[in-house]
Amino acid sequence: MPSHYSAYSLFREGLRQQSGWGKAWRSPKPKKHYEVIIIGAGGHGLATAYYLAKNHGVRNVAVIDKGWLGGGNTGRNTTTIRSNYYYPESCALYDLSVQLYENLSRELNYNVMFSQRGVLTLCHSDPEMEMGARFTNAMKLNGVDAELIDVAAVKQRAPILNFQTDARYPIHGAIWQARAGTARHDAVAWGYARAADALGVDIIQQCEVRELILENGACAGVRTAHGDIRANKIGAAVAGHSSVLANLANITLPIHSYALQAFVSEPLKPIMNTVALSPASGTYFSQSDKGGLVIGGGIDRVPSYGQRGNLPAQETVLSGLIEMAPALAKVKLLRHWAGIVDVTPDSSPILGPSGVDGLYLNCGWGTGGFKAIPAGGLLFAHLLATGQHHVISQPFDLNRFAQGRLIDEGAASGIAH
Amino acid sequence: MQQFPCPFCGERDEREFHFLAEAGKERPNTTVSIDDETWARYLYKQRNEKGEVQEIWMHLTCREVFLLKRHSVTMAVSESVSLRQGC
């Protein structure tokens, strides 16, 4: 059994040369049959397993991954958590996630370091301030906290930004979501893994799914590097590789996979206390607790499965950063990487049945999957346990494309994907 | 920067190019009634293959539209084919 983490256990282990910590999770051999198999041990897959066990009492669950848990986009993102979306369906989804994040460290007995330091979406002109007012009002009507703040209030929150009035993109104000923030991304995966494992979930790493077992038109299990594993229901939460997995079940999805790049700078003294996004360039940045600037932007220009950087997007993001905060021009980058994101035509996720009996999909999160992990897991667990949509996941069913009922956040909230 | 081959101009900087769509989609005949699934498949569904892909690209500077065969992991280009009539 893993140890319970507390101030007392820290003190006790300090006296015992840290000898008493148990492993955070087991490494079990896969069984022949489970009630539910989840493919993909990232944040969404692990959270799904946790909520299946905790909320629905479904504990005969395996989460399998071709690599190591949290080794995909969960460990590659810029850790921003926010619910500043436009449409009611999106606000319900992403704010559920923020609410779950607010209590997550306590719930999982694992410090995910959720820091509600707020997110600034900058407005660079008077018309943008008017659109900002519209957006702020939409968020409030949807029950999400939002405030349109003027340039003095932006300066108070992020003095490092470019406040020159003759700047190419002068700052007129910003949309401010105070409850937004950042978290320790690996800890989210590790916390869910540890809590799911404690409830009896088997997490099986280094076990690639090579085929789906299809019988009488239904998905009955997976054929893996470690043999066949069968289950009543299969849930796929494999992000950028969703099309590849769906292809094993002869399904095509409305998804393009792109590389999304991110950057971390050398550690600096504290200069940035919040997260700031400039819609002009799509660049956004925050500062981690270790001092590194965490910098992100839009996706690459061409669909790709190559998990590596690409110069044109890099140039766009970094020139955007220098426009936002010219003082950072000589800061050196420490790391630079890319993850493969699954982008839908409306920049909204897909949650629901796949069209093949027994196979369910959690995908299409694009560049914004990390913030949605708790909600994605909770809603996907509901779907797998009951066979029915939760009211919040219903609008995100795959059937919205044939019905022409898109939730076009790419256009509405101007997110950079 | 990577260089991509335009069938008309030759090797050019990747920023001069625009990815348009996957190759091989046929527009349904909309002069007759078609069902929602057929139309949605044409509008939204993508093969999104990992490996060798065939796509329609445009060289923005000369407006040449062409077929590009490349690898979606390595980005290596195997062929670019002009789509102009008579070529």
Side-chain angles (χ1 to χ4, degrees), chain A residues 143-392:
Chain A
V144 178
D145 68 301
E147 196 183 339
L148 188 69
I149 61 175
D150 63 14
V151 64
V154 176
K155 196 167 191 175
Q156 194 184 11
R157 286 170 172 82
I160 192 77
L161 298 179
N162 186 358
F163 292 98
Q164 293 185 1
T165 49
D166 61 349
R168 172 64 184 86
Y169 297 106
I171 295 171
H172 285 233
I175 303 163
W176 170 247
Q177 189 187 13
R179 285 167 60 242
T182 60
R184 172 87 171 91
H185 53 355
D186 294 325
V188 175
W190 298 337
Y192 273 120
R194 175 171 167 272
D197 178 272
L199 293 171
V201 171
D202 283 357
I203 300 166
I204 299 153
Q205 305 181 66
Q206 312 283 346
C207 181
E208 184 175 10
V209 170
R210 292 174 177 165
E211 285 176 49
L212 295 173
I213 301 170
L214 299 171
E215 287 172 354
N216 307 320
C219 186
V222 294
R223 195 149 284 155
T224 76
H226 300 307
D228 289 3
I229 314 173
R230 288 174 172 269
N232 302 344
K233 288 174 183 166
I234 320 288
V238 297
H241 283 71
S242 292
S243 296
V244 177
L245 189 106
N247 191 36
L248 300 177
N250 306 314
I251 305 169
T252 47
L253 296 175
I255 284 177
H256 272 306
S257 291
Y258 285 88
L260 174 69
Q261 305 184 58
F263 312 82
V264 167
S265 77
E266 59 188 332
L268 306 172
K269 290 192 174 177
I271 52 161
M272 183 62 177
N273 203 22
T274 181
V275 186
L277 161 75
S278 170
S281 61
T283 301
Y284 63 95
F285 75 105
S286 62
Q287 189 171 22
S288 78
D289 293 343
K290 288 189 287 188
L293 297 175
V294 182
I295 305 150
I299 53 174
D300 278 6
R301 303 163 61 256
V302 174
S304 165
Y305 283 94
Q307 283 179 319
R308 64 186 171 277
N310 167 299
L311 286 168
Q314 183 174 346
E315 200 169 38
T316 304
V317 173
L318 295 176
S319 57
L321 176 76
I322 294 165
E323 171 59 31
M324 281 172 91
L328 302 177
K330 293 194 174 172
V331 170
K332 294 181 180 66
L333 291 180
L334 199 64
R335 291 196 301 281
H336 163 224
W337 67 93
I340 304 305
V341 298
D342 40 343
V343 177
T344 59
D346 57 357
S347 292
S348 286
I350 296 166
L351 277 164
S354 68
V356 170
D357 283 349
L359 180 66
Y360 296 80
L361 300 172
N362 171 343
C363 61
W365 296 95
T367 65
F370 174 72
K371 75 167 89 69
I373 284 172
L378 184 134
L379 299 170
F380 201 39
H382 186 278
L383 184 72
L384 287 164
T386 65
Q388 306 289 323
H389 268 292
H390 189 288
V391 65
I392 294 179

